[in-house]
Amino acid sequence: MRLDRSAGGLADQLAAELRTAVRSGRLAAGGRLPATRELARDLGTSRGVVVEAYQQLVAEGFLTSRQGSGTRVAPMAPPGAGAPALAPGPAGSGGAMVGVVAPGPAGSAVAPGLATSGVAYDLRVGTPDLAAFPRRAWLAAVRRVLTELPHQALGYGDPGGAPELRAELAAYLRRVRAADVAAERLVVVNGVAQGLHLTVGALARAGPVRLAVEDPHSARTYDLLEDAGAVPVPVPVDHEGIDVGALRRTSARAVLVTPAHQYPTGVVLSPRRRAELIAWAEEVDGFVLEDDYDAEFRYDRNPVGCLQGLSPHRVVLLGSVSKSLAPGLRLGWLAAPPALATAVRQARAVSDLGSPVIDQHTMVQLIVSGAYDRHLRQMRRRYRARRDALTAALSRWLPAAVPHGVPAGIQLYLELPAGLDEAAVVAAAAARGLAVEGVAPLRIDTPGPPALVLGFARLPEHRAPGAARLLAAAVAAVRGERS
Ligand SMILES: Cc1ncc(COP(=O)(O)O)c(C=O)c1O
């Protein structure tokens, strides 16, 4: 194990080395790792570096840590084991429309554009700070592409994406998300939404597929799952993420999750649940669809590596630049096990022959020039400050409401005082020029407390107190107090 001191980020380097060792089987399941002090001494580094690397890998599910038994390699399927066939499920379990057909979340249709008249504060979710789009860097990248791209590259390309972009994205996902992905298994898509549609479509080729979904769940992706042939089966989410025990009680053999930052509750899938989820996928010979929609943004620590990195033959990783750059780019990716990646690529060829070539090459330039990383660093600082400002303002003006979830992403889950009429709060806020969204429309079967999901990406720090005061006034009005 070698650490490059000149490169910095020693804990990240050590974590990457250990991940590779676990994946390759060099560190066997159940094997005990050296004590942090011991390994630090061997590597000539501080103990803090080893502690940080171990903690990261425990969070990702590569290692387990228990008082008294030290740090051990988590039980995992051997590399390449049991790559599943495409059609999940023994006859009857995946295809038949048995059991409950869950209704879509009420009001799940999303307005195509945001009405902004009369809105002084817009905390609706899903959109990053579009004013911060790196126009200059994008322009420089487009200019370079148009100058250098050979004519023949403008023809019909690979429906799975430009090879250059697939190579860059694969390297990026390995580096930033600890994904276990090669360019051949990566498909460029129009965003997570299209990636989900194509993946579910491939799984449902033989008939509707029962797909477990988190409850509550993103309204933006619910309808498209049904459209692609899924019969959504809601599974409750608690403070550790999706309830894998409840998932086991369904007959679903595919599940869609948001492990890095559950949408909308903001919780991170716990190490225990990550292990249980992968074990479940092995047992049912199924698939986990990992919606990694906002994983670039974690503010208190390094983001937890993606689930796909733990089990690349069971997990389909889906991501996009919708939160990191702009949703209007419609640029995303998915990394899937070989058979599924081929099916998705073929489906893309049949449906629309692939993504725009100039944008794909522009994205390559953005990554290789370092501009993408720089933009992410800048946005991380900005969003962190905005989130901090909003939580501080809420604790001052509306202390009875409780923010949940980890500091991450571009939305905040805010639990309102029990018994409050959530829809009435949303309406009272709108009447005061504050646009917010309630969580009730995202709940499918599992009831929950009144809550809001607040998009803070477009709310500068100095405006946070104003928004919090309006929300407090709306809550007071609904409670029948003077506003
Ligand atoms: C949780 C979640 N997943 C996926 C999407 C869709 O993302 P994309 O723009 O990449 O299709 C959204 C959109 O808001 C979302 O909230």
Side-chain angles (χ1 to χ4, degrees):
M1 212 165 273
R2 225 171 291 134
L3 301 182
D4 176 1
R5 254 149 253 283
S6 62
L10 292 180
D12 287 350
Q13 287 184 45
L14 178 57
E17 289 278 338
L18 290 170
R19 232 182 251 118
T20 309
V22 173
R23 273 186 192 137
S24 68
R26 215 158 15 104
L27 286 176
R32 190 174 181 150
L33 272 84
T36 50
R37 218 179 290 278
E38 221 175 283
L39 184 56
R41 200 176 43 236
D42 287 355
L43 293 171
T45 181
S46 74
R47 184 168 164 249
V49 165
V50 181
V51 169
E52 194 182 328
Y54 279 12
Q55 280 172 349
Q56 178 73 17
L57 296 185
V58 167
E60 290 175 11
F62 284 90
L63 304 179
T64 59
S65 165
R66 212 158 288 137
Q67 200 119 47
S69 86
T71 306
R72 291 178 184 274
V73 178
M76 291 217 282
L86 234 200
S93 76
M97 288 252 229
V98 285
V100 188
V101 177
S108 63
V110 175
L114 295 180
T116 48
S117 62
V119 176
Y121 296 90
D122 190 352
L123 270 64
R124 283 171 289 190
V125 280
T127 310
D129 184 357
L130 300 177
F133 182 78
R135 285 174 186 254
R136 203 183 292 226
W138 188 264
L139 192 64
V142 176
R143 184 170 289 128
R144 181 140 189 199
V145 168
L146 289 178
T147 311
E148 295 178 0
L149 200 67
H151 301 317
Q152 58 274 21
L154 294 171
Y156 291 109
D158 184 332
E164 295 86 344
L165 180 57
R166 285 193 282 119
E168 279 309 323
L169 285 175
Y172 172 80
L173 292 169
R174 285 195 297 267
R175 174 168 62 85
V176 174
R177 302 295 300 121
D180 186 352
V181 56
E184 315 80 76
R185 288 196 282 114
L186 206 126
V187 184
V188 175
V189 288
N190 267 346
V192 170
Q194 188 188 40
L196 285 173
H197 201 278
L198 293 171
T199 307
V200 171
L203 293 176
R205 260 201 307 219
V209 59
R210 289 170 64 74
L211 176 72
V213 296
E214 295 169 325
D215 187 3
H217 178 86
S218 159
R220 269 210 180 87
T221 55
Y222 195 93
D223 293 346
L224 73 89
L225 297 174
E226 289 189 314
D227 186 68
V231 179
V233 181
V235 175
V237 166
D238 61 22
H239 64 285
E240 286 189 73
I242 193 165
D243 179 346
V244 183
L247 172 62
R248 278 180 195 287
R249 291 190 288 278
T250 72
S251 58
R253 302 185 53 234
V255 62
L256 169 59
V257 284
T258 45
H261 190 217
Q262 204 274 330
Y263 189 88
T265 62
V267 301
V268 176
L269 192 66
S270 71
R272 182 167 67 106
R273 293 271 173 89
R274 285 166 74 96
E276 286 173 5
L277 194 60
I278 298 298
W280 166 85
E282 292 289 345
E283 279 160 35
V284 302
D285 188 23
F287 289 106
V288 177
L289 313 188
E290 177 175 23
D291 179 352
D292 210 31
Y293 68 104
D294 72 353
E296 293 84 0
F297 299 127
R298 177 87 194 239
Y299 311 121
D300 55 337
R301 50 162 291 165
N302 278 344
V304 174
C306 64
L307 210 52
Q308 188 271 355
L310 260 186
S311 183
H313 61 285
R314 290 289 169 201
V315 181
V316 180
L317 174 68
L318 302 116
S320 77
V321 299
S322 292
K323 307 290 185 268
S324 60
L325 288 171
L329 286 176
R330 305 313 301 139
L331 185 59
W333 53 82
L334 69 87
L340 200 47
T342 305
V344 166
R345 200 163 146 270
Q346 282 164 354
R348 191 77 210 273
V350 170
S351 67
D352 69 351
L353 303 179
S355 289
V357 164
I358 293 177
D359 287 354
Q360 292 188 64
H361 284 276
T362 305
M363 190 64 207
V364 170
Q365 278 303 321
L366 210 68
I367 297 174
V368 297
S369 67
Y372 188 53
D373 273 346
R374 273 196 300 282
H375 174 71
L376 287 177
R377 275 199 297 278
Q378 188 189 345
M379 297 319 292
R380 241 174 248 130
R381 278 196 299 275
R382 181 174 300 188
Y383 291 153
R384 179 189 190 144
R386 290 182 178 183
R387 187 183 187 280
D388 287 351
L390 181 60
T391 50
L394 287 168
S395 78
R396 164 143 194 231
W397 295 102
L398 193 53
V402 185
H404 284 270
V406 294
I410 56 174
Q411 78 274 340
L412 177 73
Y413 179 93
L414 185 71
E415 190 174 320
L416 296 172
L420 209 57
D421 180 339
E422 178 189 300
V425 171
V426 172
R432 288 164 175 75
L434 172 67
V436 291
E437 293 179 43
V439 173
L442 311 181
R443 301 192 193 280
I444 310 169
D445 272 358
T446 316
L452 301 175
V453 56
L454 304 174
F456 54 79
R458 289 163 291 142
L459 186 71
E461 290 98 290
H462 71 273
R463 304 199 74 221
R469 284 168 71 171
L470 282 187
L471 187 57
V475 167
V478 170
R479 282 174 150 171
E481 299 163 13
R482 287 189 54 211
S483 56

